Amino acid sequence: MALSFLLPSFFKKPNIRQGLRLKSRCTNFHLLHQRIGNPCRYLIVMSASAATAVKHKILLLDDDPDVLDLYQQMLLQLPSEPEVHISSAGASAMTMLDAEPFSILISDLKMPRMDGLQVLAIVRRKYPQLRTVVLTGVADPQMRARAYAMGIDIYLEKPTSEKEISFFKDCIESLLDSEHSGGFRGVQSKSLVDLIQLECLSGSSCILKITNGKLEGRIWIQNGEVYDSTTQDVQGEDAFRRILSWRAGNFEILPIDLERPRKIMTSYQGLLLDTAQALDEAQAGGGSSEPGDNLSDTQYFRKAGLGRIHGVEFALRVPLDQDREVHKWGIENPEPIVTWLRAVVGRFQALHPGFELGAIDTLETRGIQRIIHVTLHSSDLIVVGMLPNASKDQISESTKKVLERWAS
Amino acid sequence: MGLLSFLKTPKTQGPPPLPSGSYTVDRDGKVVTRTISSAVSGETLEQISAQVLQTFKDAKQAELNMTEFSITMGAMNIKARELRGGAIIFLSPRGAALK
């Protein structure tokens, strides 16, 4: 009835054409303006949306009723508008979980009778698809390690500031968003290099929080590129290197903070290679010898700082004289490229199709995987492998930097 | 009459211009289409295309996954793109003397 009064004036508006789509919480209304006889009548078609919004359910477990009220109000404000149920004891929480499916369980740890860890142990076994979050007022690294070892998704301390509240809400919202993407969870030790490569190769955007006893560090990854890092009082690449020097610890994957400005410009491959080389040298007790003093390739190129040049995947120094050694960086087996390159140079230098072609200056190849840029410098071919999306300016700049550092 | 022909200095011919343009070749290196002047013989173009096709073939064997390459030499820039076994080749002179 109400609609029949509203519609005529509504459809007189110039922007309304033939149809209007209204959406309520659970149903889509398709409103078609169709003349049916005179006066004009409106055909209203109501159709249940094929993509009816899924209602997430969160179960909040804490023995403190004030905490339950406070966090329930906080969670009800989330953009995905979840249903928030509360429970003050582990046993009643288990009953609620048995009765209906939940998306997330947010649990305190220190509770009488059945503590949080006991609840989590049961939940992990009975409801493997349920996301679990620990929300505790106790900052205890051992408790954190135990909780993660049990397979929880996030370990959070109860927020005490506006920023922390906002972070807490972002974490929960991010878990709700990823609920339908599925996935497997398990507990296995992985090196930091593996973790970073995994996140970067999958094009993720997240914050990798690494803890090593009392030490804590963070690595920001956006669209598969490392763009900042902090630990203690250090930031940027220095912080990244320091974090990677830690031998063991725990990690958490947190939602990304999009406002953070980029401080690290080097590609993640360059960062990892550079850092790995530095660690190898530190372990081997590598000294500070000068280029030309029988340095290994690793030391030679690390001195040149090639890993810091954005977009450079690998570099080679190929002497035209086949008896001289080829220097390589960032590539395991350069033999195929070197053989091909020498054949191409020889072939085109010997080409005389009725006019003088001259000596070779540069050679550039493009493919799906990479761009290879070759420059003749003295009697050596400087080969630079770059990412396939590098622009002409980037190629030119990176090649110049490689040449400068090499010449130095 | 030819009596004064010894006074006549022969006209010095300047070098003919370097080829400029593009052409496509099939997988055997035979020219299929061309925008390059007909003053440049087909054999000349086929000499270049033979090296280009060999370069692509060697790259494939070396697993370089290359779809195009560009080689800049003193007198000429040669750019080639693989085209279903054959290639399209672009020649751009940079300015040099002919033989």
Side-chain angles (χ1 to χ4, degrees), chain A residues 141-157:
Chain A
Q142 282 186 349
M143 196 61 86
R144 177 193 287 268
R146 276 181 70 188
Y148 274 116
M150 293 177 80
I152 64 163
D153 288 275
I154 310 179
Y155 185 100
L156 295 169
E157 285 163 29

Side-chain angles (χ1 to χ4, degrees), chain A residues 273-294:
Chain A
L273 271 166
D274 218 12
T275 310
Q277 285 162 7
L279 290 174
D280 286 344
E281 280 176 30
Q283 280 173 3
S288 54
S289 39
E290 293 303 314
D293 283 350
N294 296 322

Side-chain angles (χ1 to χ4, degrees), chain A residues 136-407:
Chain A
T136 176
V138 178
D140 183 346
Q142 282 186 349
M143 196 61 86
R144 177 193 287 268
R146 276 181 70 188
Y148 274 116
M150 293 177 80
I152 64 163
D153 288 275
I154 310 179
Y155 185 100
L156 295 169
E157 285 163 29
K158 283 176 180 163
T160 52
S161 67
E162 196 64 44
K163 199 175 171 187
E164 286 174 12
I165 291 171
S166 173
F167 178 72
F168 163 71
K169 283 155 81 173
D170 285 343
C171 285
I172 303 301
E173 187 65 25
S174 145
L175 271 184
L176 289 172
D177 279 344
S178 63
E179 194 213 347
H180 294 289
S181 59
F184 292 85
R185 284 172 284 172
V187 179
Q188 191 184 7
S189 286
K190 284 281 176 204
S191 72
L192 261 183
V193 172
D194 288 338
L195 287 169
I196 292 166
Q197 279 190 319
L198 200 64
E199 292 303 315
C200 289
L201 282 169
S202 59
S204 293
S205 294
C206 63
I207 301 173
L208 214 51
K209 180 180 169 188
I210 319 289
T211 45
N212 177 10
K214 287 185 183 166
L215 300 173
E216 185 186 300
R218 288 180 184 224
I219 299 171
W220 279 258
I221 298 173
Q222 190 168 359
N223 298 323
E225 277 302 328
V226 174
Y227 77 105
D228 197 9
S229 180
T230 59
T231 183
Q232 297 161 292
D233 53 349
V234 186
Q235 199 181 359
E237 288 189 27
D238 290 335
F240 184 88
R241 252 176 257 113
R242 199 178 285 191
I243 294 169
L244 257 75
S245 69
W246 298 344
R247 290 183 176 277
N250 296 308
F251 77 94
E252 295 167 56
I253 295 177
L254 304 172
I256 190 72
D257 165 19
L258 289 169
E259 291 157 3
R260 193 170 188 90
R262 185 170 188 165
K263 291 277 161 61
I264 295 178
M265 301 300 172
T266 309
S267 67
Y268 79 90
Q269 300 107 316
L271 276 175
L272 289 175
L273 271 166
D274 218 12
T275 310
Q277 285 162 7
L279 290 174
D280 286 344
E281 280 176 30
Q283 280 173 3
S288 54
S289 39
E290 293 303 314
D293 283 350
N294 296 322
L295 282 175
S296 67
D297 280 341
T298 302
Q299 291 167 317
Y300 185 83
F301 290 108
R302 189 171 173 273
K303 288 281 171 204
L306 292 181
R308 296 163 182 269
I309 304 174
H310 179 68
V312 172
E313 193 191 330
F314 69 84
L316 295 170
R317 187 166 189 157
V318 181
L320 288 172
D321 178 1
Q322 298 202 22
D323 295 329
R324 282 172 53 208
E325 195 191 346
V326 172
H327 287 287
K328 62 179 169 62
W329 174 85
I331 179 170
E332 205 52 49
N333 177 24
E335 214 42 58
I337 295 180
V338 171
T339 308
W340 174 81
L341 191 55
R342 282 180 170 150
V344 170
V345 168
R347 190 179 298 134
F348 279 91
Q349 275 181 338
L351 183 61
H352 295 289
F355 47 84
E356 201 62 49
L357 285 170
I360 291 176
D361 286 342
T362 61
L363 165 68
E364 187 175 294
T365 76
R366 284 177 179 264
I368 299 166
Q369 290 175 325
R370 65 178 64 85
I371 294 170
I372 298 177
H373 190 89
V374 183
T375 309
L376 184 64
H377 179 73
S378 301
S379 57
D380 294 339
L381 293 167
I382 308 298
V383 184
V384 180
M386 303 194 64
L387 299 172
N389 55 358
S391 68
K392 214 171 174 179
D393 292 334
Q394 280 173 333
I395 296 170
S396 169
E397 203 184 310
S398 296
T399 309
K400 246 187 251 176
K401 283 183 183 167
V402 171
L403 274 171
E404 276 164 20
R405 290 175 199 215
W406 225 306

Side-chain angles (χ1 to χ4, degrees), chain A residues 5-58:
Chain A
F5 284 106
L6 290 170
L7 290 174
S9 57
F10 199 81
F11 274 109
K12 277 179 192 166
K13 293 185 181 176
N15 290 332
I16 305 296
R17 294 284 180 256
Q18 284 197 326
L20 172 70
R21 190 172 171 204
L22 301 170
K23 196 171 176 186
S24 75
R25 276 192 178 187
C26 46
T27 315
N28 278 343
F29 292 89
H30 280 271
L31 187 64
L32 303 175
H33 172 199
Q34 186 173 345
R35 276 191 181 275
I36 307 170
N38 195 7
C40 182
R41 290 186 189 178
Y42 300 91
L43 179 67
I44 300 171
V45 177
M46 284 189 353
S47 61
S49 168
T52 304
V54 174
K55 206 69 174 154
H56 294 295
K57 282 188 194 165
I58 298 177

